[in-house]
Amino acid sequence: MKNIKSYLLIILLLVFTGQACTSDFEEINTNPNSPVEAPITNVLGYVLQDFSANYFGPLGDMSEPSSYSGQLGKLQYIDDAKYVFTSTNINTLWTVVYRDLKNAQAIIDQADKTGSTNMKAVGLTMQAYILQVATDRWRDIPFTEAFKGDAGYITPKYDTQETIYPAIITQLKTAADLFAAGGTDVLGEGDLLYGGDVKKWQKFCNSLRLRVAIRISNVSPATAKPVIEEIASSATTYPVLASNDDNALLNWPGSSPYIEPWNSNFMTRDDHGPSNTLINTLKELGDPRLAVYAKPAPSDGEYRGVEVGPPTSPIISLYSRIGVKFREDATGFSPFLRYSEVLFIMAEAAQKGWNVGGSTAETLYKAAITASLNENGITDAAVISTYLAGPGVKWDNTTNKLYTQKWLSLFKNGQEAWAESRRTDVPLLAAATGSPFTGHTRPPFRYPYPPTETTLNSTNSATFIAEITDNFWGKKMWWDTRTGVN
Amino acid sequence: MNKPILIMARRALLITFVALFCLPAECSAMAENGKSFSQMADMEISGIITSKDDGSPLPGASVIVKGGANNGTTTDGEGRFKLTVAENSTLIISFIGYLSQETQVGGKSVINIALVADSRILSEVVVTALGVTREKKSLGYAIQELKGSELVKSNEQNVLNSLSGKVAGVQITAGSGAIGSGSRIVLRGNNSFGNNQPLFVVDGVPVSNFSTNTTSGGGVDYGNAIAEIDPNNIASMSVLKGANAAALYGYQAANGVILITTKNGKGAGKGTSISYSGGFSYEKPYILPKYQNQYGQGVYGEEYMWKKKNDGSTYQDYATSTGFSYLDGLGNGINDGVDESWGPRLDAGLLIPQYNSPLDANGNRTATPWESHPNNVKDFFQTGYTIDNSVAVSSSSDNGDTRLSFGQQKQIGTIPNTDQKRYTIQLNTTQNLTKRLKTNALVNYVRTANDNLVGQGYHANNPMQSIGGWFGRQVDMKDLKEHYNDTFADGMPYNWNNNFHDNPYFNVNNNTHSRYKDRVFGNVSATYQFHEWFSAMARIGTDWSAEQRKEITHNKSNETLTSMADKTWGGGKFTESKYNINEINADLILTGHGNISKDLTLSYTAGANYRNYSYNYSSLGASQLTVPDLFNIRNAKGSPTTDMTTNKLRTNSVYGQASLGYKDYLYLDITARNDWSSTLPKGNWSYFYPSASLSWVFTNVIPVNPDILSFGKLRASWASVGNGGSPYQLQSSYIANATAFDGVTLYSISSTLPPLNLKPEKAKSTEVGVELQFLNRRIGLDATYYNKITTNQIMQVNISGASGYSTMQLNAGEIQNKGIELQLNAGIIRNPGGFNWDINFNWAKNKSMVNKLYEDPTTGQKLEAYTITSVWGLTVDAVPGQAYGVMRGASFARDASTGAIIIGNNGLPTYNSTPTAVGNVMPDWVGGVTNNFTYKNFNFSFLLDMRKGGDVFSVTQWFGMQSGVTAPTVEGGIRENGLIVGQDVLKDEKVTMADGSPNTIRVGARDYFQSLWGGRETAIVDGSFVKLRQIEFGYQLPSAFTLKYPWLKGAGISLFARNIALLYTSKSNVANIDPETGFGVGNDGLGIEQYQIPSNRSIGVKLNLKF
C-alpha cells in the first residue's frame, strides 16, 4: 500500500502540472488576425465602399430600383424587372443597410470619445443618408432598437416611417451644426468621397437635409418648410453643393474587386438597357443627354428603349444599351448626391412659395437642368439655351416639367429616382406587363421584407409584413400621397 | 518516501520519446499447461492458431483435448501453444468470435490451425478510449468495432464510406461522385449547430479531420483529412458513439470518437512476412437525373404556344421566329442566349440554325435538323478507375516487432480530367528494450496530389450546373468535346451558349483546382512497467500537414470576361492558397491493474495531456493577368488579392479512470477529466466533468439455460463532457476587407456578435442498453437507448440583420438527442465446414429536439430560431419546441380552411413569400442489413443500406423544372396541349380559384414550371432510400495449399461491387437525384442538393497475398 500512496502522489503532481500551465493562455487567445479597435477613418472607408457597392450596384440599384423608376429595363434575365425577385438578394440588402448603419454608429461613438467633431458630423451624415435609403425602400423598419445587437437587441422592434423621418431630420441638424461649429480633426485616408475635404462634407450634409425635407414636403410641409428655409437663409452656416465640383460621387479605383459596380456587371453580362420611357422622353425633349445616357441599338443604330418587364424576353440587338460614361468605365462613379438635385429641390420649394433666398423657381429650374447637362459633358451654351427653350422643357410653372427634369437628372441613382417617381407620379409609369402579380396600376410601392425577418424576427415583423400586398404593394410610403393607385 | 520508487518514477517521467503502446488486456499470462490424463502414448505438440481472415495470430485461443476433461491450454501473445497429448486425440480449438474447429492430432507434432470468424458474434474484445483493450462484456456503454478486413474488401478510398450501413447510429453522407469529396459522419444525431463531427484518434493520439467547408452555395470539396488514412493499414476501428464511451477524450469528443488502430508487426506472427494487397475497380455514374428529350433550347417553342398563337404560320416558321434560332449565343438571335429547354420540338423534322450548323456564304448559320441527343449528359462522364496497391513487411520477435508499409492509390474520376494520387508510408515499430521497458514509434507519411478536383454546388466550375440544369437538351456532347479549345469567328469560345456558361470540357480541362498535400502524423512513446499495479507511458504525438491549392481559370472562360459586348477577356485568374496545420499532443499515462481481493479487480488509468493546435493560412491571387494564362503572381494585372489567417489554441488536461470488476458479472467504470482551455475567458479556463457506467452480466448470476439464453448483460451509464470552443471568440474585432481600396484598408466591425462571458459547452448523456445472445449464441441482440442534452452551446447562429450583425456567437441553448440503436445478428444456417448464412442487421432512430434558445439577459429579447444553413431563400432552422433542422421557405398560398392551393387569375399557383415549414432534414431512421454466405473457402455477402425520411431541398429538381430539362416538364402532353393546374400538374393537390371556383384556365407548360420559382415545396424530396450498397464474392486459398507451399502464407481474391443500385426512392424525387447527398463535412450542406456530381458505381477485384 506504501507504493500506491507514492503513485497517488505522482498523480497529484500531474494535476498540479496541468493547472500551472495556463500562464500564457491569454497570449495564445489574443487574435493575431484582427484588431479590437480600428482607425475610424478606415471604418468610414468601409461604409462608403460597402454601401456604394451594394446600393449603386446591379443588385441594389440597376435591376430593381432603376427599373421600378422606369429608367432601366432588362434585356436578358428579365425576371426582376417583372418583380420576380430573389429572396436572398433581399436578405443581403437588408443586412448591408444595417451593418453600414452599425459601422457608421461606431464612427460616431469613437469620434465622440476622442472629440473629433468633423468625423462625428461625417458619421451622422452617412448614417442619416443610409437610413433614408432604407426607409424609402421598406417604409417601416427597426430603428430605435436597431444595430444594437451588442446591447442585447437581437430581435429589434419596428418603427414607422412617420417617426423615422423626423429622427433623420434631427440627426442631420446635429451634424450640420457640428460642421458649422467646425472641428480640427482630419478625416484621413478613408474619406473616399471627398478626399478629406470637410467643407464639401458640410455641403453634402446640408444638401441631404434638403433631400429629406423635400421628400416629406407634401405630406408634412410643416416639418419640411423650416428645414429648407433655414438652409436657404443661412448659406454660410449651412452651405449646400454649389457646383458640380461639389458633387458627392464615389470614384472607383477600377481594379478588382473595386470596379465601378455597373461596369463590373457589364464585364460579364449584357442584361440592362435604358427603358423605352427614358429613351422616348429624351427623344421627345430633343435632349442632348440621349447620346450620353444611351448607346444606339446594334441592329440598326436607332436609339430604342426596351420595355420594362415585358412578358417575353426581347431580341437584344434591337435595343439601346446604357451610355459609356455610366457603364463602361471601371473607374466610374457612384452618385450619392449631385448639385443639380439641390437646385431642383430649391426650384420646387420656390414654386411652393417657400422662401429660398430670392431666386425664382424658373431660375433655379434652368440652373438645375444646366447643371445636369454640364455634368454630362454638355457645356455648349447654345445647345443648352436651345434645349431650355424647347417646348417640352420651357418653364411653364407646372410641377410636371420640374419633376420630369429631376427624374432625368437622377439617372444612375435608381434609389432616388424610384423614390421621386413614387412621390411625384412623374413620369406616369405602369406596372410591368409581364408581372405575375396582376391588377396593379403602378410599379412597386415598396420592397419586400427579407425572409430572415420572418424566420428570425417574426414577432416584431408580422404586423408590418401583413400590410404588404403581392410583396411590392399595399401600404404606401408615408410621403407617397398618390391616390387611386395600386 | 520510498527512494527506489521515486527514482523509478523519475525515470518514467523522463522518458518522453520512443515508446510502446501497451495493451493491458494482452498482458494476460499464458495459462498453465494442463496435466495429461491420457493413457495412450503422449507426445508434445505445438502450433499456431491464426485467423483465417487475415492470417493474424489469435492470442488467448483455447486448445483443449476432446473428452480430455482438464487437458488444454490457451495460446500466448503470438498465438502459439504447446501441449502434451495422446497421439490419437482430437483437439477442439475455440476462440471468442470464431467458429470452433476440431482436428485430429494423428501423430503430427506441429498443428497450425486457421479459425474462421463467426460473424454472428461481435468481436468481444474491443479497443476503448485511450487505446485500452477491454472485454466488451465489462463495458457499460455502447461500442461497435469493425475489423480492418471489413474495410478493405472493396476499393473504397474514403474509409468513412466503408462504415455506411454497418454501424448502428452512424449516418454517413458521402460527398458525391466527385473524386476527393469529403464525407460527413454524424454519430447519434446532430448535437450542435457548429461542429457535429466526431473526434478521430489513430493509435491513441487525436488526428485532424480538417476540411475547408464548401458552403451551401458551392465550391470545390477538397475532402476531409481522415480519408488520407490508407484502409490497408487499419487493423480495427472502434466507434464510440456516445459521450459515455468518449468521456475520457474530453472536450473534443462531445460528438463521439472513432478510434482507429493500425496494423503492427505482431499481427503477422513470428518471423518476417510480406503481405501485398492490390485492387482495381472501375467507376461509372449510377444515378443520373431523368431528362426530357422532346424539346430543345429556347423559349415558348412548345407546340401548344404555336397552336395558341394560331396566326396561320407553320410550326417550322413559328419555331425559328419565336422559339429558337441561333445567331451568336449571346441573345442576339431568337432566344439563343437562354439556357432553358422550352424551345421547339425535337425530332419533328424542324430545321433550325444552331451553334454548330455550317455557315452560309454570308457567314450566317444555316438551318440544320433539330434533333435530340438523349444521352448527352451521360456522354459527358467517362469511366473512372481506382488502382490500389499496398505492400507491407512485418517482422516480429521476442525483442519487438516492426511493420513497414507502402501504399499507392490512383484514381481517375468519372468527370473528365479529375484525378487523385496518394502515397502512404507507415512505420510501426515496437522494441522491448528491457523486460520492463518498451518503446514504440509510429510514423505515417501521406502525400495527396490532385491535378484537378471539380467544382461542386451552384458553382460555375461544376459542369452539372450547365449540362445538368441549365441546358439545351438538343446539344450534342461529343461535338462540344471535339472543339472545346476552339473559338468561333467572332472570337467567342466554341460552346452551345456563350451567355452564361463555359463549354463543359473547357471547364474541366482548363479551369482546374489542384492540390498537393504532405502530411506526417504519428507518435512515439515509452512505457515502463514498474509493477503490475503501476506502469507509466510517456507519449508525444503530432499531426503536421502542409497543403497547397491552386485554383485557376483560363482566359476566355466566361468568368474572365472584361466586356461581353466587346468580347474582351482579362487573361485568366487564379488563387493559390497554403494551409499549414499542426497539432501536438503530449501525454503521460499511468496504468495499473490487479486483484484487490479474490473477487474484486481494479484497473486504473491516470493521465495528463497537453495539446497545442496551430493553423496558418495564406493566399495569393490575381483577378486578371497581363500575359494570358501565365498563372504567376508577378504576372498579375491590377492589385493582387492576398489573405492570411493564424489560429492557435491550447488545452491542458488531467484525467483518470477506475474500473472495478466484481467476480465475472459486475463492472463499474468511473472517469473524470478536467480541462483548461485557452479559448475561454480567464475565470472559465478550467472545467471538470465526470462519467460513470455499470455493466451487469446477469446470465453469470441468474441460472438460465445457456442453450436458450447464452449471454445476457444490462448496462447503464451517465456522462458529462465539456467543450471550450474555437479561439478568439471573446471580443468583438474589426475585420479588414481582403483587398485595400486604392491603398486604403477598409475595416468593419466583425459581423459576428461575440458572446459576453463564454462558458464551456456541456453535453450530458445517459445511456442504457442490453446485450443478449440466444441459442448458443446463434442470435445476438444489442439494444441501446440514449438521451443526450447539450447546453451552453458555443456556436454561430444567424440573427436579424437589423441588429447590425449577421451572426451571433452563441453560448446558450439546449438541444436534446434521444434515440434507440439496435443490432441483431443471426446465424440462419450454421454448418462449420459447409454452408453458412448469417444476417447482421442494424437500425437506429434519433430524435433531435431544440429545447431552449438564447434569451438576452439585459433586454430579455429571445432568439426565435437558429438558421443552420440556407440556400436560395430556403433555410434549415432550429426552432424551439421543434425538431432540429426544420426547412422553411416560400410556399404555395393555400386556402386556410381547405388547404387548397389558390390559383391566380392567370391560371398559375400563387405563393406566400414569407417562409413556412416545408420539411425537415433529419431522417426518421437509418439502417443496414448484411447477408453473409460462406461455403468452404468461398464467401458471398451483400449489404443493403437504407434510410427513412430526411428531406432534401433539391436544386436540381427545382431548377430542372424551371429550365424545362427534366422529364416531368413534358409528361402527359403538356407541351402540346398546355396544362390546367390541378388536373395536369399538382394532381395530388387540391386547387381553387380565389373565389372558390374550380380552376379551368389552360396555361403553357413554361409559364407553369417557371412560376415554381415562387415556392420551394416542389423541390423538397423525401430522402428515404434503399440502396444495394455492396456485393462481395471472395475466395480464400485453402490452408492445405498454403501448408504445401510454405512460402505462400495466405492468398485470397474477391470480386466486389459498390453502390450497385438505388432500389427505392421516394415518389417526390421526380428529378431522380441521389437522395443521399451532402456537401463537405460541415453543416452548410445539410439537407441541400445543388447539382450533385452523380454518385458512382464501382466494380472491381481485390487480391490479398501473404508471403
Side-chain angles (χ1 to χ4, degrees), chain A residues 175 234 279 283 295 323:
Chain A
S234 36
I279 297 285
K283 277 181 169 174
K295 288 164 78 176

Side-chain angles (χ1 to χ4, degrees), chain A residues 33 76 152 258 269 453 458 471, chain B residues 499 646 739 800 802 859 864 913:
Chain A
N33 307 307
Q76 304 193 76
Y258 303 116
R269 298 297 316 153
E453 282 299 290
S458 67
N471 304 304
Chain B
N499 210 6
T646 300
T739 310
S800 165
T859 61
E864 294 175 347
S913 62

